[in-house]
Amino acid sequence: PVKHGGVYLITGGLGGLGLELAGWLARTGSAKLMLTSRSPLPPKDTWDGRLSAGARDDRSVAAIRAIRAIEDAGGEVLTAAADAADLAAMRIAIEQARARWGEIDGVIHAAGVPGAGEPSFLETVEEMRSVISPKRDGLAVLTELLGNTPLDFVVLMSSINAIAPSPNAGPYAAANAVLDSF
């Protein structure tokens, strides 16, 4: 269902999985991509300096390299610092994509936090919420903002933990089970 020049929103778009899928969409269909992430990238005019500094372990350097590869493959990229569970921030990100390219054709909800890996009974309620929110609340935000929009596809990135949970991944398993049941 990937259109040539299609417009796609990827939550968690600057994470490893989001960037990998964005690259595939660019190579497959010269996609126009709105990539959201809780953490912003540095300003574009500083990218060359960051790359030449050689900070290999810097998450933003990996994202910058991936975005440049996406653009070299024929894709176009916009990024937005927007927590998937933040209705106002996601509304702004979607409006930016629409203003630049028109309607959104598809969504990949890849936002997620794996958690600390502690036994669930040792985690605080706030720690559990921080793991569940990106997936569950992010899905609610996407449904609110795009639920009436005709989309070619919606992909909800779950995990094997939803059906084979680890004792140290209770909230993560629950968050992914929400996506699976949706």
Side-chain angles (χ1 to χ4, degrees):
V2 176
K3 291 179 182 169
H4 184 78
V7 179
Y8 303 109
L9 167 67
I10 303 177
T11 67
L14 297 181
L17 187 56
L19 287 167
E20 196 63 37
L21 292 166
W24 181 83
L25 287 166
R27 291 186 302 276
T28 302
S30 298
K32 297 168 173 71
L33 302 157
M34 169 51 84
L35 307 179
T36 68
S37 175
R38 288 177 299 147
S39 303
L41 282 178
K44 205 164 193 170
D45 61 351
T46 67
W47 287 11
D48 288 333
R50 291 185 74 83
L51 292 174
S52 65
R56 287 184 217 138
D57 60 340
D58 186 345
R59 183 180 161 274
S60 64
V61 168
I64 291 166
R65 285 190 178 118
I67 289 169
R68 291 219 168 139
I70 289 165
E71 291 171 340
D72 289 346
E76 293 181 49
V77 176
L78 279 177
T79 63
D83 184 325
D86 182 335
L87 180 66
M90 287 300 296
R91 177 175 282 126
I92 291 168
I94 290 169
E95 287 171 358
Q96 288 173 338
R98 285 177 169 155
R100 181 151 177 194
W101 298 309
E103 282 305 313
I104 307 274
D105 294 309
V107 174
I108 298 173
H109 182 36
V113 177
E118 301 237 349
S120 298
F121 67 88
L122 294 176
E123 292 187 35
T124 66
V125 170
E126 195 51 46
E127 288 169 330
M128 290 183 202
R129 280 192 186 123
S130 73
V131 173
I132 294 169
S133 180
K135 290 189 177 284
R136 183 197 64 195
D137 300 341
L139 176 61
V141 165
L142 290 171
T143 302
E144 172 77 19
L145 296 175
L146 297 170
N148 293 322
T149 302
L151 299 168
D152 295 340
F153 64 83
V154 175
V155 177
L156 305 177
M157 301 304 296
S158 183
S159 167
I160 191 68
N161 284 108
I163 57 172
S166 158
N168 296 347
Y172 187 68
N176 284 291
V178 168
L179 298 185
D180 291 354
S181 67
F182 183 84

